[in-house]
Amino acid sequence: MAAHQRRAANTRAWIVFLDELGVSLLPQIRRTYARRGRTPLLRHRLNWKRASMAGALGYHSTDPDRGARLCFHLKPGSYDTVGLIEVLEQVKVFYRGERVVLVRDGLSANWSRAMRAGVAAQDWLTLERLPAYAPELNPVELLWSSLKKRELANLAGDRLSNFADATEQGIHRIDANPRLP
């Protein structure tokens, strides 16, 4: 274990779960209700543009009264190592330099050489890996599920900005309800 990992393990820290989600502008069809005989129609342009979201949900290890903290990042395209390093910089600012134990899945960009080299130089950050095929251990997955079922359900936007606006509304809804995070 590296020296900075031992220091983080012996001090109070935020336990932060990180997860990424990629979506396209194709609508996510969900159930809806309509008057009898009036089948709802969902019109959209066949658009394969993609966007990606990263969510970091943190809980303080020794002070549960501090509540959960949600940090969110949205970008067009998909995440690679450079994009995830940007997310880590945002997490650093969000947690104001406090110690963070970051729990992530096995996405290859999370564990690339460049990522490991960048993280090794950080004294505020310790990395932990979730077991393979265990999304139920990551609470951010539940937030994605909530977003998909409410704000992103049946959304037929023409631009990524429509998707970004709906996602931002969902993040505010989730963050405003202390039970959700």
Side-chain angles (χ1 to χ4, degrees):
M1 185 182 316
H4 74 279
Q5 289 176 320
R6 283 193 299 273
R7 283 193 309 269
N10 294 330
T11 61
R12 292 181 276 176
W14 286 90
I15 310 300
V16 178
F17 293 88
L18 178 72
D19 194 42
E20 310 81 19
L21 175 69
V23 294
S24 73
L25 285 182
L26 294 176
Q28 297 187 27
I29 309 299
R30 297 287 187 245
R31 244 182 223 191
T32 187
Y33 295 96
R35 293 178 58 160
R36 181 175 288 175
R38 298 204 178 224
T39 303
L41 297 176
L42 185 61
R43 298 185 192 280
H44 66 91
R45 296 177 185 180
L46 191 58
N47 194 336
W48 292 95
K49 286 184 182 177
R50 295 190 57 81
S52 296
M53 302 179 278
L57 184 58
Y59 305 92
H60 199 271
S61 62
T62 59
D63 189 3
D65 293 334
R66 291 178 83 171
R69 296 190 66 198
L70 177 61
C71 179
F72 181 75
H73 189 265
L74 177 68
K75 71 177 252 110
S78 58
Y79 282 107
D80 56 4
T81 301
V82 174
L84 288 174
I85 289 173
E86 289 174 12
V87 171
L88 289 182
E89 289 300 319
Q90 184 177 348
V91 168
K92 180 179 182 178
V93 170
F94 190 73
Y95 286 98
R96 296 182 207 100
E98 292 188 67
R99 295 212 179 276
V100 170
V101 177
L102 192 66
V103 182
R104 304 186 295 181
D105 58 14
L107 180 70
S108 60
N110 281 335
W111 302 100
S112 67
R113 283 186 196 180
M115 178 65 78
R116 287 185 305 219
V119 168
Q122 306 295 326
D123 62 347
W124 62 276
L125 185 62
T126 304
L127 297 181
E128 293 294 333
R129 187 176 190 156
L130 285 170
Y133 306 107
E136 68 277 1
L137 297 178
N138 193 340
V140 180
E141 295 283 356
L142 297 172
L143 298 180
W144 297 149
S145 176
S146 179
L147 270 176
K148 286 179 181 179
K149 288 178 182 174
R150 299 269 305 267
E151 285 77 15
L152 301 181
N154 302 323
L155 177 66
D158 291 335
R159 291 182 221 91
L160 286 176
S161 61
N162 301 123
F163 169 79
D165 293 342
T167 302
E168 187 175 344
Q169 288 175 355
I171 292 298
H172 287 303
R173 174 184 58 82
I174 289 168
D175 209 24
N177 184 342
R179 290 184 177 180
L180 286 177

